[in-house]
Amino acid sequence: MQTFTVDAPDISRAWLDACEQLVKLPGTRAFHTVVRIAQPLREDPQLRAELDRLRSARTAPLYSIDTVVNTLFPVGLAKTCQSHEELAERYRTLYPRLRKVRRNAHGTYFGRLIAYPGADTKTEPVDQIARVISRMDKLRTTAKWRAVYEAGTAHVLDCEASAEEEPDTAEDTEAVVRAAALDTQPRDFPCLSHCSFQFDTAAGSVHLVAYYRSHYMFDRAYGNYLALGHLCAWVAQQAGLKPGTLTVMAGSARLDCTKAELSRIQNAVAHPPLFGPGE
């Protein structure tokens, strides 16, 4: 099986390393890939600028990276909110308007994370991120557990644990995107299946693992990595913790750019300009 693992200090290096692994493989495709990023909000400005330029230069321009980011985490909106409750309420108010945009016809990732369809007899949507933040805050103050694992399955369990109950099962704190009853097409939304947050008592930080059914590296992956970094940082901030590492696993990863486009990005990183803009 064609696969690879990447460990990198920042998003830009991680993305480029993954692409360089894929370009060497037959069909530029790999399975069960792992990309681990130490600082998931840190970028190389030269790589980002060249990637933005190449995306917009295509005959059919791709969405900007910022647009991809905001599908998974609304960075601009979050900056104006003091709490997760405020962010979730304002986003849910905007959600009907966002769903009118064709690319959001099935919803958005963040919409699923803060308003997952109710299961069983409960019809109210579940704010999974609020539940994760609450759990992390409790773990921070009790310090009895080294990690909490949110293992996504087919649906979210809506029942809330009592205030005194310890998070001793995966189901208590899962953060799922895919809804089995709604997402019946194998190639449609969502490619992101679930997120898993871990509390690191030694470092006082939150680590995030995300699983994608498939990942298109040029079209989506860079924006996805950056959005997940923002999501991890938001959960950490709201729980009084520090953001930790990001690990992204993909069932299938594909390099959907030409070798010439990848070469231009590699050259931009290897030979940055002597002076920045305006210098």
Side-chain angles (χ1 to χ4, degrees), residues 51-64:
L51 180 57
D52 280 328
R53 188 190 70 77
L54 290 171
R55 291 168 63 90
S56 63
R58 285 194 166 185
T59 304
L62 298 174
Y63 292 121
S64 71

Side-chain angles (χ1 to χ4, degrees), residues 3-172:
T3 190
F4 61 80
T5 297
V6 164
D7 283 280
D10 57 53
I11 282 179
S12 300
R13 188 69 253 175
W15 178 85
L16 185 56
D17 285 356
C19 291
E20 290 174 339
Q21 293 276 1
L22 283 165
V23 78
K24 295 182 291 187
L25 297 175
T28 61
R29 182 179 181 181
F31 298 91
H32 296 179
T33 63
V34 178
V35 176
R36 188 173 297 107
I37 307 168
Q39 298 185 55
L41 288 180
R42 181 180 169 188
E43 298 183 79
D44 181 324
Q46 297 304 131
L47 186 149
R48 172 66 185 271
E50 185 63 13
L51 180 57
D52 280 328
R53 188 190 70 77
L54 290 171
R55 291 168 63 90
S56 63
R58 285 194 166 185
T59 304
L62 298 174
Y63 292 121
S64 71
I65 289 173
D66 287 338
T67 297
V68 176
V69 168
N70 279 282
T71 300
L72 205 160
F73 187 80
V75 177
L77 185 62
K79 288 180 179 179
T80 67
C81 297
Q82 297 300 311
S83 67
H84 178 73
E85 290 74 17
E86 180 185 358
L87 173 60
E89 181 180 356
R90 290 176 63 184
Y91 192 87
R92 283 193 289 263
T93 300
L94 293 171
Y95 204 43
R97 193 190 318 169
L98 294 174
R99 292 287 300 273
K100 291 180 180 179
V101 179
R102 188 174 65 176
R103 69 174 181 272
N104 297 333
H106 296 287
T108 68
Y109 292 119
F110 193 69
R112 283 286 177 88
L113 290 171
I114 65 167
Y116 190 88
D120 300 325
T121 59
K122 186 174 181 179
T123 59
E124 291 297 316
V126 180
D127 186 342
Q128 302 179 88
I129 299 304
R131 185 165 55 184
V132 169
I133 291 170
S134 176
R135 183 72 67 190
M136 291 294 166
D137 184 58
K138 183 182 295 185
L139 289 169
R140 177 180 61 83
T141 56
T142 61
K144 293 181 180 179
W145 295 81
R146 289 194 63 83
V148 170
Y149 300 89
E150 295 73 51
T153 55
H155 66 277
V156 172
L157 297 181
D158 294 337
C159 57
E160 290 290 346
S162 66
E164 300 302 320
E165 183 179 350
E166 296 294 351
D168 58 354
T169 62
E171 291 82 4
D172 286 340

